[in-house]
Amino acid sequence: LDSLLQENHTKMNHGVGAEGLLAAQSALTGSADNYGNDPRLEQLWAMKAMDHAEVYFNLLCSVDPSRLKLSGSLESDTKIYDHFRETFPDLPIGKLTESDIKSEGAKVKWREFSDFYKDVEDYSLGSLLRLDSTKDYSEENTIIAIKIQFLAIEIARNREHLNDTIRDNFK
């Protein structure tokens, strides 16, 4: 059992020891102004984003997505969802394109939307977002978005039952 736990722990932290994980935690909680484009920090962020995506996808495969509270509470999810659908009533969340998130016009709209959620922890932290809600995370189906975009789109997908097929297709 100990060897299995050790093997699983090594896989989960990608070979980084406890000391490295503590250093990463300390670095990731510091002000972004203190850093340039340090490749080590980018790698740590990528590992964190990949771990988050894996956990989220496993949740989609395991439970009814409409029961998830992605922001931590039903009240917050409802606030984000209502504001999102008011701001983006026609956004095709089942099958997004990169321009839905990153075109110049979309960036302006998303920036205004995001400014309402500065109180959400790590609201502007990068997250991995699936473009097609019926598919897994993959190079072709994933873009980098900020956390509040991920929350808004995935809360909407869950409430509008667009993630329901994941459990049947990826068990």
Side-chain angles (χ1 to χ4, degrees):
L1 180 60
D2 286 339
S3 64
L4 285 174
L5 289 173
Q6 181 61 35
E7 181 181 322
N8 188 36
H9 177 71
T10 301
K11 285 180 184 174
M12 287 180 61
N13 68 26
H14 304 282
V16 177
E19 191 175 292
L21 290 173
L22 289 172
Q25 178 185 10
S26 174
L28 291 173
T29 58
S31 170
D33 296 334
N34 296 333
Y35 303 101
N37 288 338
D38 184 336
R40 292 173 299 164
L41 289 179
E42 290 177 7
Q43 184 178 21
L44 290 171
W45 168 82
M47 288 171 30
K48 184 176 179 179
M50 287 172 51
D51 287 345
H52 177 266
E54 183 178 2
V55 167
Y56 180 63
F57 197 78
N58 286 339
L59 280 171
L60 291 178
C61 292
S62 303
V63 299
D64 177 357
S66 66
R67 298 183 66 206
L68 296 174
K69 296 174 189 79
L70 298 184
S71 67
S73 76
L74 181 60
E75 181 182 325
S76 293
D77 276 14
T78 299
K79 177 183 164 189
I80 292 168
Y81 175 75
D82 290 346
H83 183 209
F84 170 71
R85 276 310 187 194
E86 179 183 304
T87 306
F88 301 97
D90 300 319
L91 189 66
I93 60 171
K95 193 164 189 170
L96 295 166
T97 64
E98 192 166 352
S99 65
D100 290 328
I101 306 294
K102 298 187 177 189
S103 72
E104 287 307 313
K107 283 181 183 180
V108 169
K109 213 169 177 179
W110 276 111
R111 194 172 302 113
E112 290 171 5
F113 177 85
S114 300
D115 283 345
F116 282 94
Y117 299 98
K118 290 183 177 181
D119 61 320
V120 173
E121 184 179 347
D122 296 331
Y123 82 102
S124 64
L125 185 69
S127 296
L128 301 179
L129 178 67
R130 294 172 301 129
L131 293 171
D132 185 333
S133 65
T134 65
K135 297 179 180 176
D136 196 350
Y137 287 93
S138 68
E139 190 171 339
E140 307 80 40
N141 194 45
T142 305
I143 62 169
I144 297 172
I146 62 171
K147 180 179 177 181
I148 195 61
Q149 290 172 315
F150 169 85
L151 289 173
I153 291 167
E154 289 297 337
I155 289 167
R157 286 175 170 174
N158 292 342
R159 289 187 174 204
E160 296 172 19
H161 303 284
L162 295 170
N163 280 330
D164 287 357
T165 60
I166 295 294
R167 235 178 333 154
D168 295 330
N169 295 337
F170 292 95
K171 277 189 174 179

